Structure formats: C-alpha cells, structure tokens
Amino acid sequence: MRLLYFLVLLLLATDTALPATRKARKKRSKKKIEVVLPTPIQPTPAPITAEQADKPTTKTSTPELTPRMKPAVDLSPAQADSLLAEWRERQRSETFKTFFEQYILIDSTTITDNTPDSVYINRLRKIVSPIQLPYNAIVKAHISRYTQPAHTGLISRVLGMSQYYFPIIEEELLKADLPVELRALPIIESALSTNAVSPMGAVGLWQFMPTTGKSYGLEINSLVDERRDPVRSTQAACRFLKDLYNIYNDWTLAIAAYNCGPGNVNKALARSGGKTFWEIYDWLPRETRGYVPAFIGATYAYTYHQQHNVEPTPAPLPLAVDTIRINRLLHFGQVASTIDLPIETLRALNPQYKLDIVPATTKTYTLVLPQQHIAQYITHEQEIFAKDSAYLKEYINPANIDKKRAERTGSIYVVRRGDTLGAIARRYRVSTAQLMRWNKIRNPRALRIGQRLRIEGR
C-alpha cells in the first residue's frame, strides 16, 4: 500500500511540473539568434610623407573615355559616321590585302625572260573559274603586255581603283549568279574609268553604246547617263552577259560577243564550222581576236601582280560611302557649299549626273556621299535645299544648259610619272593625234608630270 501511495504522489508531482517546463521552452524559442561576423581586417595605411601632406587633395574620378570607348548613346551622329567610315575603310583595305596574301600567294617564282611556260600554266589553272583560262602564245603576249615594267603603271592604277569599284562589281555579279572573274572585263573595256568614252560613243566602265544601254534599262538623256553609274551599269552588264551566255553556253564566246556583238560571233561560227572561241579565232573581227586573250591577261595581272612587283596606287575615292535618296531638284554646289565637301568628290562618286544636277522632279534618285558626311548632310538638308534658287536658276535657260554641257563634256587627265601620250590615248580609246590637237601639243615626247590633258567627249 505504501508503495502504491508513493507512486501516485510521484505522478501528481510530475504532472504539475510539465506546464512550467513547456513555458520555459516557449520563452527560449522566442529569443532571437544573432550571428556575429568577424570584423574584416583593414590594411594598415602607409604613413603620409611630408611631401604628400603639402600637396592639395584631388578628387578621384574614372578616366575619360575616348570616342571609340564611349557608349553608343553618347556618340553624336557625326562621330558615329566617322567611326563607321574608319571601320569600313579599314575593312576594305584589309580585305583587299587578305585576298592576295592568303589566297593568291601560291608561289614566289621570280618572273624573268626565261621563265618557263609551266609557271604561267600552273598559275592560270589555280584560278578556279567557270571561265576557261587557257595558256598559249597569244595569251602570253597579253600577259607580258600587262606585266612588263613599261606598262605596270596601268595595272597599278587599276589596282588602286579596284579597291573602290570591284566590291560594287563583285556584289552585282554574285547577285546575278555570274562568275566573279568577269570583273576583269571593265579593265579591258575602260581601265576602270567611269568617264571613258570610245571613238564610237561607248561610255562608262562597261562601255555601253546608247542603244544597248537603253535596252537594258539605263537612263540616258541630257542630264543623266547611267552608263557612267558603277552600280546601274554593272547591273545592266550582268543582264547582258547572262543573255549572251544563254545563247552560247560558253563563256569565251559570250565574252567575244560582248565585244563585237552576237551577230559577228554567229557569222564566225558559220564560216569556220567551229564551236569554240579558238576554233573561230581567225574569222572574228581583229579587235575581238585579242579581246578574250586580253581578258585572260588582265585576270592574270590582277591576280598575280605581287609576283611581278607591281604595287597598287592609293585608292582615288573614299572606300566608305553611303547613299541618300533625293526627291527634289538638286545641284552639287548646294551640297558642296554647305557641308564643305569638294564638288570634285561629288562628281567622282556620282559620275552619272552630267551637269552636276540631280533631276529629281518626277522620281527619286540616289546621291553617293562619303560615309563621314552622311550625318552632316542630314543635319543641314533644309539649308542645302534652301539654296536651290541660287544654284539652279542658271540652268532654267536652255542656252545655259548647252554652255554647261560643253564645259563638262570630256575628261581631264593629270600626267603621272611613266605616262606616255600613246598609253594615255589607248586608255581613253582616242588617237595620239587627237590628244595632240586637243591640247596643242607639238612634241608627243615632251610631257610633264602634273600636266593636265583634256580628253574631248564624243
């Protein structure tokens, strides 16, 4: 009994103690747990010297960003255009060099008079193209013509101009799905001169006659001649060449037909009974016989100029350009006098406008400007067009138009080192006698470097 009584008392004592224990636990759980992080150790500052104490304190700031480092939002339109122009110029130059350094420098054979034909044959074979580039004595003569020291001045100038014109030409050839090697045709047609005029009246890079040019959509009138426009004339040439290839299914015959017309090629095919250019060679007009070999020679000289120690002249035009759409009558003088852009640059970039006038009255036209002047033009556009009465009033009178046309007809060539009167005459498809008559030259060998020669238009 005592044991049972003791157990009952023990249970009662335990039950009364439990609530107090629970309350204590609740109070402990409400306490906030604080984690104390160690204080970071600060480096002991170096003692200040007497010289430092005497110097005035300066406010520290981040270094000023150069224009190239600044975020785009901080750039003005003119700065953005300047950077874009610099990038495009560098890209064009590097692309030009890379093409020859990485893809063309196949061998380092020094060309001499005793160089075996196998060197030329091997190099032509390595220009992989849908256009056949065979080697024979006739082709060798044209290669020598382009690469001999006496004639390398022409290739040097062509290489310089090709940095501007070839990207335009190649882009259109690729769009038309035509061989890129056709870019050499304007070399033998015009030496890459948009102002080239033949004695027969063919004009521009691709030497279109008026009838052929119009049939392929080129605008030719008193104020505009798109045969001189590098983009529009190349587009027309692509359509013409594609049509010729569809007739013959042979690029050498198509190239020959580009020179003398498909009618003459058809006559040579009929008379000779042959089917290739070389089989009908003797039945073609004399100029056309040399046309395909000249094309091969120009292709070789352009591709392998470094192996012949020919260096390109500097590009004569800015490599970074852009276009503006013009929907009002505009004279080049309005632009040149407002944004400080030489009118000669406007003429070189827009050779299709014969009288310095963009005749945008019923349709829009393009105006090509250096990239770094695009933002300037846009900013001052209203000011430019406000000058129309000052620059265009003299063209309202037809007599003034005839006068200006006479002043602008033809070209001016500045004589350079190594030039001869005969070479200049061949370049512009005129005779030496004509050059002498137009410029009152008595001695054809008495040319001076820097002398300005007038080449009359046709």
Side-chain angles (χ1 to χ4, degrees):
M1 290 294 291
R2 289 182 180 179
L3 179 61
L4 179 61
Y5 180 74
F6 176 77
L7 289 174
V8 170
L9 289 177
L10 180 62
L11 289 172
L12 290 173
T14 305
D15 186 61
T16 56
L18 285 174
T21 305
R22 291 192 187 101
K23 290 180 181 179
R25 288 176 181 173
K26 287 182 180 179
K27 287 182 181 180
R28 286 197 298 269
S29 64
K30 289 181 180 179
K31 289 183 179 180
K32 184 178 180 180
I33 300 175
E34 294 181 358
V35 179
V36 180
L37 298 176
T39 304
I41 300 174
Q42 301 292 337
T44 304
I48 300 174
T49 64
E51 294 181 357
Q52 292 174 331
D54 292 337
K55 289 183 180 179
T57 58
T58 57
K59 183 179 179 181
T60 59
S61 61
T62 56
E64 183 178 356
L65 297 177
T66 62
R68 187 173 299 187
M69 296 167 59
K70 285 184 178 180
V73 293
D74 293 338
L75 291 178
S76 68
Q79 288 175 317
D81 268 342
S82 178
L83 291 176
L84 180 58
E86 179 185 347
W87 172 69
R88 283 183 172 172
E89 292 266 356
R90 185 173 64 252
Q91 187 184 48
R92 283 275 185 94
S93 298
E94 290 175 354
T95 300
F96 180 81
K97 293 177 182 177
T98 300
F99 174 73
F100 296 104
E101 292 175 356
Q102 295 187 7
Y103 297 97
I104 301 304
L105 285 181
I106 300 169
D107 62 66
S108 57
T109 304
T110 303
I111 300 298
T112 64
D113 293 338
N114 298 322
T115 299
D117 289 345
S118 59
V119 173
Y120 297 102
I121 295 171
N122 186 48
R123 288 180 177 176
L124 286 173
R125 282 178 177 171
K126 289 180 179 179
I127 304 176
V128 182
S129 171
I131 305 173
Q132 292 184 355
L133 302 173
Y135 180 82
N136 54 39
I138 301 171
V139 170
K140 182 178 182 179
H142 282 83
I143 289 176
S144 299
R145 175 187 172 192
Y146 282 114
T147 57
Q148 283 180 351
H151 300 96
T152 52
L154 171 63
I155 291 297
S156 292
R157 288 193 292 272
V158 165
L159 287 165
M161 290 186 288
S162 71
Q163 296 175 65
Y164 178 82
Y165 289 115
F166 270 14
I168 297 172
I169 293 170
E170 290 170 359
E171 182 176 355
E172 298 303 328
L173 289 169
L174 290 170
K175 284 180 181 178
D177 196 24
L178 295 176
V180 176
E181 290 73 28
L182 291 171
R183 66 190 168 199
L185 280 181
I187 296 178
I188 57 178
E189 285 287 347
S190 63
L192 290 184
S193 171
T194 57
N195 293 319
V197 181
S198 78
M200 300 300 293
V203 168
L205 289 175
W206 295 89
Q207 290 290 284
F208 274 109
M209 294 294 289
T211 302
T212 308
K214 288 182 178 180
S215 68
Y216 281 94
L218 298 181
E219 182 178 353
I220 304 170
N221 54 45
S222 298
L223 296 179
V224 179
D225 190 345
E226 289 186 334
R227 294 178 295 173
R228 300 177 188 268
D229 184 326
V231 176
R232 295 282 293 133
S233 66
T234 301
Q235 291 170 345
C238 288
R239 292 192 292 270
F240 188 22
L241 287 164
K242 184 168 285 191
D243 287 345
L244 293 173
Y245 182 75
N246 288 337
I247 294 173
Y248 300 106
N249 200 34
D250 180 285
W251 275 116
T252 54
L253 291 178
I255 292 171
Y258 187 90
N259 175 252
C260 68
N264 285 320
V265 171
N266 289 350
K267 292 172 188 175
L269 288 169
R271 290 168 178 164
S272 66
K275 295 182 179 180
T276 68
F277 171 82
W278 298 104
E279 290 173 343
I280 68 172
Y281 177 87
D282 292 326
W283 285 266
L284 289 167
R286 178 176 298 178
E287 180 183 351
T288 308
R289 294 177 201 168
Y291 193 76
V292 171
F295 170 82
I296 299 172
T299 300
Y300 173 92
Y302 173 79
T303 307
Y304 295 106
H305 69 274
Q306 292 181 346
Q307 282 84 348
H308 292 266
N309 298 317
V310 180
E311 293 297 326
T313 59
L317 294 169
L319 300 183
V321 297
D322 206 343
T323 57
I324 292 288
R325 302 295 298 182
I326 306 298
N327 56 12
R328 289 175 55 183
L329 200 63
L330 177 70
H331 188 281
F332 286 173
Q334 294 171 244
V335 180
S337 65
T338 307
I339 64 174
D340 195 27
L341 178 64
I343 199 168
E344 290 77 15
T345 302
L346 284 169
R347 288 170 177 167
L349 293 175
N350 303 273
Q352 67 271 32
Y353 300 120
K354 298 163 68 173
L355 302 180
D356 296 343
I357 297 175
V358 183
T361 54
T362 59
K363 69 175 184 177
T364 60
Y365 287 84
T366 58
L367 183 70
V368 180
L369 298 175
Q371 181 67 60
Q372 59 187 3
H373 288 86
I374 292 293
Q376 283 183 277
Y377 176 93
I378 294 173
T379 302
H380 297 282
E381 191 169 34
Q382 291 185 354
E383 182 183 349
I384 289 170
F385 282 110
K387 297 181 177 182
D388 56 353
S389 60
Y391 282 91
L392 292 168
K393 62 181 180 180
E394 62 179 310
Y395 292 94
I396 297 175
N397 188 337
N400 289 334
I401 291 181
D402 292 338
K403 179 181 177 182
K404 290 295 181 180
R405 185 184 296 114
E407 292 174 356
R408 286 293 311 278
T409 300
S411 304
I412 299 295
Y413 179 78
V414 180
V415 176
R416 302 178 184 181
R417 185 182 301 276
D419 280 339
T420 64
L421 205 61
I424 297 171
R426 286 192 297 272
R427 176 180 179 183
Y428 286 94
R429 304 291 186 91
V430 298
S431 67
T432 304
Q434 286 175 313
L435 279 180
M436 295 177 67
R437 183 173 68 254
W438 294 334
N439 296 279
K440 299 179 180 180
I441 297 175
R442 295 183 179 180
N443 184 358
R445 298 183 179 180
L447 291 181
R448 305 184 310 277
I449 296 175
Q451 181 179 354
R452 297 171 66 85
L453 298 181
R454 181 170 181 78
I455 292 89
E456 298 288 350
R458 294 283 175 172

